């Protein structure tokens, strides 16, 4: 009897201490407690292959992330075969959620020769299998900056097919409805067709659960809501029916980084439509976007030196004044949003954008690729020559807005190209 009582008490304590899970209702994220959720996130790829295995390091980093005010991290690459329980528990204890990319360098969808096959799906499923068990897993990305040109838009249906099949897998396994979305490069030629395409259509099982944008437009004290282009970005999403947030942001020029855009993102002009932002990035590397360092850069040619010269473990040291500037912004910004119980979604999916030469190569709501299908430009598949489905919009050339200091997503393909070199050297170093 005594053991039964103890077990019940321990179970009750566990339930009380568990972090609230994240789900979607309409165009907003909500916690299981019914509160609207806004991301205050940091991109966290401390080591190339998986930063969520070394719990000693996770504890050091999570404590400082909590101090800066983060409630989310984005991780671009993980090993689904690793043991993530301790690190995920550490971040949960700090009130921090995980947004994780499903693809790798070998399984990502490529805009030049897009395909979606069983090998890719299986790899995505393994990441879902591993991370669905954690209550602080908040979302999955099926791709990062796959499309970077108008001609590259032929890859959009393959990204959407990946979302369709991973959502179907999640549901077939009866996992929690962890949101599945996409992280887009901020390319004016593709905006807003891409974001509308990812949400369009009458079949919700084929649409993304959320859309996000890697945007570096608000740069320095001379920028503002109008000059930065944030006003135009917001104009494009006022009727968007799924959640949208900044999956990377934070210009580095001019210095110092002031993060003044955070006041706009979490302010009255934007928080009715946007669900927060993820700052790029945690560790200082050659791109100089870091918020912390782990010591002085060393000669990569030295004995036992890290391959790029940047130490990736130990006690994190905040970079001044950038770290304090971000902390100062987030401490003053606490949008309450709306309670789930008081919110009744009324927005409907946007029309699928029509084919427009040089800007958008997909013909409306054509059938998505089947598993195993590869795009063949020589025979002009149904992606570009299919019959437009009902609800297809007429597309005009996009308006170009001013872009700031350049996206590291463009420079390193959202941790892609930049990490390839590091990855090769890192395994040698290990």
């Amino acid at each position: 009897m005594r053991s039964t009582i103890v077990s019940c008490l321990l179970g009750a304590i566990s339930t009380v201490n568990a972090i609230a899970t994240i789900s979607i209702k309409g165009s907003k994220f909500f916690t299981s407690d019914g509160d609207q959720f806004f991301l205050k996130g940091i991109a966290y790829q401390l080591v190339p292959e998986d930063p969520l295995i070394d719990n000693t390091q996770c504890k050091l980093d999570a404590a400082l992330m909590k101090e800066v005010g983060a409630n989310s991290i984005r991780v671009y690459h993980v090993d689904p075969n690793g043991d993530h329980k301790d690190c995920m528990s550490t971040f949960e204890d700090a009130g921090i959620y995980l947004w994780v990319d499903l693809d790798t360098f070998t399984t990502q969808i490529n805009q030049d020769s897009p395909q979606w096959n069983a090998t890719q799906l299986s790899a995505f499923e393994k990441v879902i299998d591993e991370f669905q068990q954690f209550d602080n897993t908040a979302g999955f990305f099926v791709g990062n900056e796959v499309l970077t040109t108008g001609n590259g838009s032929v890859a959009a249906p393959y990204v959407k097919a990946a979302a369709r099949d991973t959502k179907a897998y999640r549901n077939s396994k009866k996992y929690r409805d962890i949101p599945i979305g996409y992280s887009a490069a901020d390319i004016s030629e593709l905006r807003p067709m891409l974001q509308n395409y990812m949400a369009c259509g009458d079949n919700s099982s084929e649409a993304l659960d959320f859309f996000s944008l890697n945007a570096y437009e608000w740069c320095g004290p001379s920028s503002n809501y109008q000059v930065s282009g944030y006003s135009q970005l917001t104009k494009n999403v006022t009727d968007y029916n799924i959640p949208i947030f900044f999956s990377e942001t934070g210009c580095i020029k001019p210095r110092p980084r002031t993060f003044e855009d955070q006041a706009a993102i979490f302010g009255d002009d934007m928080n009715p439509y946007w669900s927060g932002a993820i700052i790029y990035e945690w560790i200082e590397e050659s791109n100089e976007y870091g918020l912390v360092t782990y010591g002085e850069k060393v000669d990569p040619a030295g004995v036992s030196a890290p391959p790029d010269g940047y130490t990736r473990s130990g006690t994190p040291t905040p970079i001044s004044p950038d770290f304090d500037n971000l902390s100062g912004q987030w401490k003053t910004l606490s949008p309450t949003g709306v309670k789930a119980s008081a919110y009744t979604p009324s927005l409907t999916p946007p029309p699928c954008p029509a084919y427009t030469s040089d800007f958008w190569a997909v013909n409306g709501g054509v059938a998505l690729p089947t598993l195993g299908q590869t795009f063949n430009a020589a025979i002009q598949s149904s992606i570009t020559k299919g019959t437009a489905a009902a609800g297809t919009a007429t597309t005009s050339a996009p308006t170009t807005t001013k872009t700031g200091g350049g996206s590291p997503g463009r420079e390193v393909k959202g941790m892609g190209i930049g990490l390839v070199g590091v990855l090769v050297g890192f395994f040698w170093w290990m």
Side-chain angles (χ1 to χ4, degrees):
M1 181 68 176
R2 181 181 300 173
S3 61
T4 302
I5 295 174
V6 170
S7 297
C8 291
L9 288 174
L10 289 175
I13 292 171
S14 176
T15 301
V16 170
N17 291 339
I19 195 169
T21 56
I22 302 297
S23 62
I24 288 173
K25 183 178 182 181
S27 61
K28 305 179 188 300
F29 293 112
F30 290 95
T31 70
S32 52
D33 294 329
D35 298 320
Q36 188 175 347
F37 182 78
F38 296 88
L39 288 84
K40 293 180 178 178
I42 299 173
Y44 182 64
Q45 194 70 42
L46 188 61
V47 294
E49 73 285 4
D50 192 335
L52 299 176
I53 292 178
D54 181 355
N55 192 42
T56 298
Q57 191 59 53
C58 287
K59 286 181 177 179
L60 293 169
D61 293 332
L64 195 57
M65 288 180 188
K66 184 176 182 180
E67 182 178 320
V68 80
N71 65 17
S72 295
I73 54 173
R74 178 183 180 182
V75 175
Y76 297 82
H77 299 288
V78 292
D79 176 6
N81 297 313
D83 184 353
H84 302 94
K85 290 184 175 63
D86 289 343
C87 272
M88 289 298 290
S89 177
T90 290
F91 282 108
E92 177 179 347
D93 290 344
I96 294 173
Y97 292 88
L98 171 68
W99 304 78
V100 62
D101 290 54
L102 297 175
D103 62 352
T104 65
F105 298 122
T106 58
T107 61
Q108 62 190 7
I109 298 170
N110 189 315
Q111 71 173 344
D112 296 324
S113 55
Q115 61 177 332
W116 174 242
N117 57 44
T119 300
Q120 292 169 297
L121 176 58
S122 177
F124 285 27
E125 290 172 348
K126 289 179 181 177
V127 178
I128 293 174
D129 288 339
E130 171 63 9
F131 287 93
Q132 58 79 28
Q133 64 182 302
F134 305 115
D135 286 344
N136 57 326
T137 297
F140 297 116
F141 298 98
V142 293
N144 179 68
E145 299 193 348
V146 175
L147 287 71
T148 58
T149 66
N151 290 336
S153 57
V154 294
Y158 291 84
V159 174
K160 206 167 179 180
R164 172 201 63 200
D165 293 343
T166 50
K167 287 172 62 175
Y169 178 75
R170 175 198 65 193
N171 296 343
S172 72
K173 299 288 285 187
K174 294 181 170 52
Y175 292 154
R176 175 168 58 88
D177 281 345
I178 301 172
I180 294 175
Y182 173 69
S183 174
D186 183 19
I187 308 297
S188 61
E189 289 80 5
L190 292 172
R191 191 190 332 118
M193 288 89 74
L194 177 59
Q195 71 186 35
N196 287 345
Y197 176 75
M198 292 300 181
C200 76
D202 296 330
N203 187 350
S204 62
S205 68
E206 294 187 344
L208 296 183
D209 293 330
F210 68 85
F211 185 83
S212 61
L213 192 65
N214 298 343
Y216 297 79
E217 297 192 7
W218 188 309
C219 301
S222 63
S223 195
N224 57 46
Y225 181 62
Q226 298 295 335
V227 173
S228 67
Y230 276 29
S231 60
Q232 183 61 43
L233 291 179
T234 300
K235 181 179 179 181
N236 290 339
V237 302
T238 53
D239 294 323
Y240 204 46
N241 67 308
I242 61 176
I244 183 170
F245 60 92
F246 292 94
S247 43
E248 286 181 13
T249 191
C251 290
I252 59 170
K253 295 180 180 179
R255 290 286 191 178
R257 303 174 79 182
T258 60
F259 302 104
E260 293 176 343
D261 67 324
Q262 299 298 292
I265 292 170
F266 295 103
D268 293 342
D269 287 330
M270 297 181 69
N271 77 45
Y273 315 108
W274 295 86
S275 293
I278 296 175
I279 302 299
Y280 190 88
E281 63 173 324
W282 182 245
I283 183 175
E284 178 76 347
E285 300 177 286
S286 59
N287 60 27
E288 299 183 337
Y289 278 85
L291 292 170
V292 305
T293 66
Y294 295 88
E296 295 295 327
K297 183 182 179 183
V298 299
D299 184 354
V303 178
S304 300
D308 59 352
Y310 290 92
T311 302
R312 297 173 176 273
S313 62
T315 301
T317 301
I319 292 176
S320 181
D322 298 0
F323 184 94
D324 289 338
N325 286 345
L326 178 59
S327 177
Q329 289 286 344
W330 277 351
K331 285 178 180 176
T332 65
L333 303 169
S334 300
T336 55
V338 62
K339 289 286 188 179
S341 59
Y343 172 59
T344 303
S346 59
L347 299 174
T348 56
C352 295
Y355 173 91
T356 304
S357 179
D358 298 326
F359 292 108
W360 186 251
V362 182
N363 191 7
V366 296
L368 298 182
T370 56
L371 189 65
Q373 183 175 337
T374 299
F375 178 71
N376 188 337
I379 62 174
Q380 287 291 292
S381 77
S382 63
I383 297 301
T384 55
K385 285 206 169 182
T387 301
T392 296
T394 301
T395 305
S396 57
T399 301
T400 301
T401 59
K402 180 181 177 183
T403 304
S407 165
R410 296 175 194 159
E411 295 169 12
V412 300
K413 196 65 173 65
M415 297 295 291
I417 296 172
L419 270 177
V420 169
V422 175
L423 187 60
V424 172
F426 192 84
F427 287 124
W428 170 86
W429 182 52
M430 293 293 285

